[in-house]
Amino acid sequence: MNITPELLLSAYMQGIFPMAESADSDDVFWVDPDERGIFPLDQFHVPKKLAKKIKSEPFKVRINTAFQEVMLKCAEPTDNVDRQNTWINKTILTRYNELHEMGYAHSVECWQDQDLVGGLYGVSLNGAFCGESMFHTVTDASKIALVYLVARLKVGGYRLLDTQFVTDQLSQFGAIEISRKEYRARLKEALLVEDSNFYSMSEEADGSTILQSVTQTS
């Protein structure tokens, strides 16, 4: 199948996303789970210990300065039993970089000096953000990237944060599973949002401002 950026965007608008069996696989298959993981943005929870760390600002958090590097880091196998093999192959890497160049895919990055130590990436469509993958090489870096993402989405007027699946790590922040039918209804509503803006929040926002943005209600 010839997967193009346009086909990817169409799939996301229908609630479908691609995966590969492994990094070495030439093929990509489409996933449409019966149960979908999401973060209700108004119920996002930041654990107290992590909130304290965010206030201390251990990382410089940047947006879209190393998108491909974030993807490559996410594609690296880890010791985690859930991620010993990656689902990010060459096709996915190429096409999502094209989406990034088109303005539809974004990365949130945690830096220590010149080192990229954590981050995440995903696809943005109107009021929906579809999270794809995250990584860390320093403790809590991916979690802090997630909190910064949620703050940015809330300030930017987004309605839906899709996590695809729910893991133990994500559930501690308030991720839940909903049915395919409910997900598609929420996605349809989010796609109607025309005034969302991924760049509404300043990259210079301090840790306290980030936490305030995350906890504010609509």
Side-chain angles (χ1 to χ4, degrees):
M1 180 184 296
N2 181 27
I3 295 179
T4 64
E6 292 76 17
L7 179 59
L8 276 176
L9 293 176
S10 177
Y12 273 99
M13 288 188 285
Q14 299 174 63
I16 304 169
F17 58 90
M19 297 182 74
E21 290 291 348
S22 70
D24 299 325
S25 174
D26 293 327
D27 298 322
V28 171
F29 60 90
W30 298 104
V31 183
D32 186 13
D34 291 334
E35 298 291 322
R36 191 66 163 252
I38 68 162
F39 279 114
L41 289 172
D42 284 342
Q43 300 171 33
F44 189 83
H45 170 70
V46 183
K48 289 183 178 179
K49 187 176 180 181
L50 185 65
K52 183 177 180 180
K53 190 166 186 176
I54 289 171
K55 288 181 180 179
S56 73
E57 300 182 18
F59 310 116
K60 173 65 177 176
V61 181
R62 299 174 183 163
I63 305 298
N64 291 335
T65 67
F67 183 87
Q68 179 167 299
E69 189 174 353
V70 169
M71 281 201 74
L72 290 170
K73 293 282 189 181
C74 288
E76 292 177 358
T78 70
D79 294 332
N80 188 318
V81 294
D82 295 325
R83 249 193 57 192
Q84 292 180 337
N85 295 301
T86 181
W87 50 266
I88 301 172
N89 67 357
K90 184 177 180 180
T91 297
I92 288 176
L93 181 65
T94 300
R95 295 297 172 256
Y96 281 81
N97 271 279
E98 290 173 352
L99 287 182
H100 172 63
E101 292 171 0
M102 295 165 65
Y104 289 106
H106 303 293
S107 59
V108 180
E109 310 145 10
C110 289
W111 295 80
Q112 281 187 335
D113 298 322
Q114 302 302 312
D115 297 324
L116 178 63
V117 297
L120 57 82
Y121 75 96
V123 175
S124 175
L125 287 167
N126 293 2
F129 190 92
C130 303
E132 283 296 312
S133 189
M134 57 202 306
F135 84 95
H136 71 275
T137 57
V138 173
T139 301
D140 291 335
S142 60
K143 295 178 182 178
I144 289 177
L146 174 61
V147 175
Y148 271 71
L149 171 67
V150 171
R152 181 168 292 275
L153 298 183
K154 293 191 72 171
V155 170
Y158 284 72
R159 299 290 186 270
L160 176 66
L161 175 50
D162 169 22
T163 71
Q164 298 179 349
F165 305 104
V166 175
T167 65
D168 290 340
Q169 175 172 305
L170 297 181
S171 63
Q172 68 178 298
F173 293 94
I176 62 171
E177 286 185 336
I178 60 176
S179 68
R180 178 189 293 147
K181 181 179 180 180
E182 183 177 353
Y183 174 77
R184 288 182 175 174
R186 294 195 188 201
L187 175 62
K188 183 178 179 180
E189 182 179 331
L191 291 175
L192 293 175
V193 176
E194 297 181 350
D195 58 352
S196 60
N197 185 350
F198 191 78
Y199 299 99
S200 289
M201 171 167 277
S202 170
E203 287 191 52
E204 301 307 315
D206 61 21
S208 295
T209 300
I210 294 297
L211 292 170
Q212 290 171 5
S213 300
V214 168
T215 57
Q216 70 182 9
T217 56
S218 301

